[in-house]
């Protein structure tokens, strides 16, 4: 195997580990919630903590690789990941689990951007397109198979083995990184904006905490204090941004209609789906009493629909344009979510199949179009800055989607009861997923192609 394919293999293995970790753990949340005696809103921090770790470390990972070397950082990231998932499995309390999930996120966040940069620097032209196709394949295969595997693990043993199962893959990735990566330390990079990064992370954590507490067993005013704190951190970041020459988030780039619209779309489709899928997992397992394995298998339908949609969407993008593809993706995705409102009994299996298929097709069209459109207006150094915004947004959308709809469900739970609260939450999610339709006139169909 040539050197560049060795590097690509290390990156793809690490990317696969990150993807299965996100989706496999989700199907175990109802069992984890019951075992550790935590509410459905609190248990969302199993995912939130991981995303916060990723968000904190991704912007500085390239600088760390320049400082200590790519081989060392990639190896350390997977060793840290392996240690963290082991400690997640051994956690005796929910707070321990959340702490180690945060550390696990740091490990995953180190590998992905460094590995991707190394890989893309070794592949050019048509070869880079082939590698991008492999990355997309991993991004679809992992969500398709990991919930089913996670469900089998939960049904046959314990949620703890969902974490333990990551250890062998992480150790293999660490070993291959040490043996195969030969990159020397790059030239010194500009020091990252640590202060800005901490302010953004504090704002995100405060917002997520407020959503988690609101509607639970906490006074509403106390819960609202966290979003207020988040707004204060945002204000501090704005002041910091005006004085900083290397801000972690370059806000001026958001003037690009393509980037800002794509960001909004990502919250409305992948972000909303993350929350809907989490609610669906609890609905199917706790209300309809489906097994964890059967619950996980519906993601195969989602991934299949997404794969077909991405393949077709990529081929017709230049002819059809982002505006039409965005509109079609949102309509199909929200139609799938709305179908879940009609599910009342275990016999409504065909409705669940239809819902996940529609969400997969619509989600595939929307997410792929957003990925393609987001960076079209940038070149040179601005491309890297816009990429930082895009990747932070992508991770944050998952956490906000889960936190938002868990909060809505908890607010509706007491007056409506579980079945109707689930249905109402799905209905609200379907409407929220259509909000970016209001922005479609910003995209000029005649100027979609460069």
């Amino acid at each position: 195997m040539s050197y560049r394919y060795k590097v690509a293999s290390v990156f793809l293995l690490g990317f696969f580990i990150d993807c299965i970790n996100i989706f496999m753990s989700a199907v175990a949340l109802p069992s984890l919630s019951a075992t550790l005696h935590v509410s459905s809103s609190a248990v969302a921090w199993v995912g939130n903590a991981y995303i916060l770790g990723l968000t904190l470390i991704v912007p500085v990972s390239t600088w760390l690789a320049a400082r200590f070397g790519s081989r060392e950082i990639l190896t350390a990231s997977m060793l840290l990941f392996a240690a963290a998932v082991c400690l997640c499995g051994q956690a005796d309390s929910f707070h321990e689990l959340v702490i180690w999930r945060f550390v696990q996120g740091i490990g995953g966040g180190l590998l992905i951007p460094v590995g991707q940069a190394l890989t893309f620097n070794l592949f050019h032209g048509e070869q880079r397109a082939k590698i991008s196709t492999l990355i997309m394949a991993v991004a679809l295969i992992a969500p398709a198979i990991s919930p089913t595997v996670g469900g089998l693990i939960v049904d046959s043993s314990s949620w703890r083995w969902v974490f333990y199962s990551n250890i062998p893959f992480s150790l293999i990735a660490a070993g291959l990184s040490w043996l195969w990566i030969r990159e020397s330390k790059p030239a010194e990079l500009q020091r990252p904006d640590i202060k800005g990064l901490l302010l953004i992370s504090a704002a995100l954590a405060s917002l997520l905490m407020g959503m988690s507490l609101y509607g639970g067993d906490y006074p509403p005013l106390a819960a609202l204090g966290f979003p207020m704190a988040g707004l204060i951190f945002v204000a501090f970041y704005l002041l910091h941004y005006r004085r900083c020459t290397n801000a972690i988030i370059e806000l001026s780039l958001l003037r690009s209609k393509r980037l800002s619209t794509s960001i909004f779309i990502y919250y409305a489709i992948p972000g909303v789906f993350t929350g809907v899928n989490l609610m669906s997992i609890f609905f199917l397992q706790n209300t309809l009493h489906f097994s964890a394995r059967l619950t996980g298998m519906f993601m195969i339908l989602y991934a299949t629909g997404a794969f077909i949609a991405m393949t077709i969407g990529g081929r017709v993008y230049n002819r059809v344009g982002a505006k039409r593809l965005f509109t079609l993706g949102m309509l199909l995705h929200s139609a799938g979510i709305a179908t879940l409102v009609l599910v009342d009994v275990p016999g409504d299996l065909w409705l669940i199949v239809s819902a996940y298929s529609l969400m997969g097709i619509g989600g595939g069209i929307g997410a792929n179009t957003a990925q393609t459109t987001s960076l079209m207006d940038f070149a040179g150094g601005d491309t890297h800055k816009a990429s930082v915004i895009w990747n932070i947004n992508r991770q944050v959308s998952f956490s906000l989607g889960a936190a938002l709809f868990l909060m809505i469900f908890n607010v509706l739970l007491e007056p409506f009861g579980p079945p109707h609260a689930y249905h109402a939450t799905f209905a609200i999610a379907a409407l929220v997923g259509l909000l970016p339709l209001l922005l479609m006139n910003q995209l000029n169909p005649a100027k979609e192609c460069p």
Side-chain angles (χ1 to χ4, degrees):
M1 186 186 300
S2 65
Y3 175 69
R4 64 177 182 172
Y5 278 103
K6 288 181 179 180
V7 173
S9 297
V10 171
F11 165 60
L12 290 172
L13 178 57
F15 184 55
F16 178 78
I17 293 169
D18 175 64
C19 288
I20 63 172
N21 168 73
I22 292 174
F23 289 95
M24 188 183 291
S25 61
V27 79
L29 291 182
S31 174
L32 191 154
S33 175
T35 303
L36 297 182
H37 307 291
V38 291
S39 65
S40 58
S41 58
V43 81
W45 278 93
V46 174
N48 291 342
Y50 183 80
I51 297 299
L52 281 173
L54 279 172
T55 303
L56 180 66
I57 204 67
V58 162
V60 299
S61 57
T62 305
W63 180 83
L64 290 172
R67 175 67 177 82
F68 298 103
S70 297
R71 182 180 75 160
E72 289 76 8
I73 288 297
L74 290 175
T75 303
S77 72
M78 285 293 93
L79 290 176
L80 180 63
F81 193 97
V85 292
C86 179
L87 291 167
C88 283
Q90 293 179 358
D92 293 323
S93 71
F94 181 67
H95 294 96
E96 283 183 44
L97 178 60
V98 168
I99 290 171
W100 293 121
R101 281 287 283 176
F102 178 80
V103 175
Q104 188 185 354
I106 292 176
L110 280 170
L111 180 137
I112 294 172
V114 175
Q116 183 172 355
L118 286 176
T119 300
F120 276 36
N121 284 336
L122 294 171
F123 290 85
H124 305 279
E126 293 182 0
Q127 293 298 317
R128 180 172 291 187
K130 291 180 180 179
I131 287 296
S132 297
T133 301
L134 287 176
I135 294 172
M136 185 62 68
V138 170
L140 289 172
I141 291 171
I145 64 173
S146 55
T148 304
V149 174
L152 285 170
I153 292 173
V154 172
D155 288 341
S156 61
S157 56
S158 164
W159 60 265
R160 297 180 185 277
W161 282 96
V162 168
F163 295 104
Y164 292 147
S165 63
N166 284 277
I167 296 175
F169 298 106
S170 306
L171 293 177
I172 291 172
L176 293 179
S177 297
W178 187 259
L179 293 173
W180 284 355
I181 303 299
R182 299 197 304 267
E183 295 293 314
S184 58
K185 294 182 181 180
E188 281 291 328
L189 300 178
Q190 189 173 6
R191 187 174 180 83
D193 176 22
I194 300 297
K195 182 178 179 180
L197 178 62
L198 293 176
L199 288 171
I200 291 296
S201 298
L204 175 60
S206 298
L207 180 59
L208 292 174
M209 182 63 75
M211 288 183 177
S212 298
L213 298 181
Y214 192 83
D217 298 327
Y218 297 89
L221 289 179
L224 289 173
F226 283 96
M228 294 299 295
L231 293 176
I232 293 173
F233 285 123
V234 169
F236 279 131
Y237 179 78
L238 292 175
L239 293 173
H240 166 75
Y241 171 75
R242 294 175 182 176
R243 299 192 297 264
C244 182
T245 58
N246 185 37
I248 194 70
I249 295 181
E250 182 53 61
L251 298 178
S252 64
L253 300 181
L254 295 176
R255 295 170 187 162
S256 164
K257 298 299 182 184
R258 285 174 171 152
L259 176 59
S260 58
T261 302
S262 296
I263 286 174
F264 200 5
I265 291 288
Y266 221 84
Y267 280 100
I269 296 183
V272 167
F273 174 75
T274 303
V276 167
N277 184 51
L278 181 58
M279 297 309 305
S280 179
I281 287 171
F282 278 96
F283 175 58
L284 296 178
Q285 292 189 38
N286 292 349
T287 301
L288 299 188
H289 306 294
F290 283 15
S291 67
R293 178 183 62 84
L294 179 57
T295 302
M297 289 181 68
F298 292 119
M299 276 301 296
I300 297 177
L301 298 170
Y302 179 89
T304 302
F307 176 77
I308 295 171
M310 287 179 177
T311 302
I312 297 174
R315 292 179 179 178
V316 304
Y317 180 89
N318 289 329
R319 295 201 307 271
V320 176
K323 179 178 179 179
R324 292 174 180 172
L325 288 173
F326 277 146
T327 301
L328 178 61
M330 283 184 282
L331 291 174
L332 291 174
H333 186 254
S334 285
I337 298 172
T339 303
L340 290 174
V341 178
L342 305 176
V343 178
D344 287 315
V345 295
D348 291 332
L349 196 62
W350 68 275
L351 286 173
I352 305 172
V353 170
S354 300
Y356 271 85
S357 298
L358 284 170
M359 287 189 290
I361 295 170
I365 293 172
N368 192 54
T369 305
Q371 180 73 53
T372 304
T373 305
S374 59
L375 304 182
M376 274 190 168
D377 291 336
F378 307 104
D382 282 347
T383 302
H384 173 73
K385 294 178 181 178
S387 179
V388 169
I389 294 176
W390 178 249
N391 281 289
I392 290 177
N393 156 77
R394 185 172 56 184
Q395 300 294 345
V396 169
S397 67
F398 300 147
S399 285
L400 288 182
L404 174 62
F405 293 109
L406 278 169
M407 180 190 73
I408 292 172
F409 172 76
N410 284 322
V411 169
L412 299 174
L413 184 58
E414 185 173 346
F416 292 107
H420 295 300
Y422 281 117
H423 290 157
T425 303
F426 293 143
I428 293 170
L431 293 175
V432 171
L434 295 175
L435 289 178
L437 287 174
L438 301 173
L439 301 179
M440 289 301 99
N441 287 333
Q442 294 183 164
L443 298 175
N444 187 342
K447 296 182 180 180
E448 291 301 335
C449 305

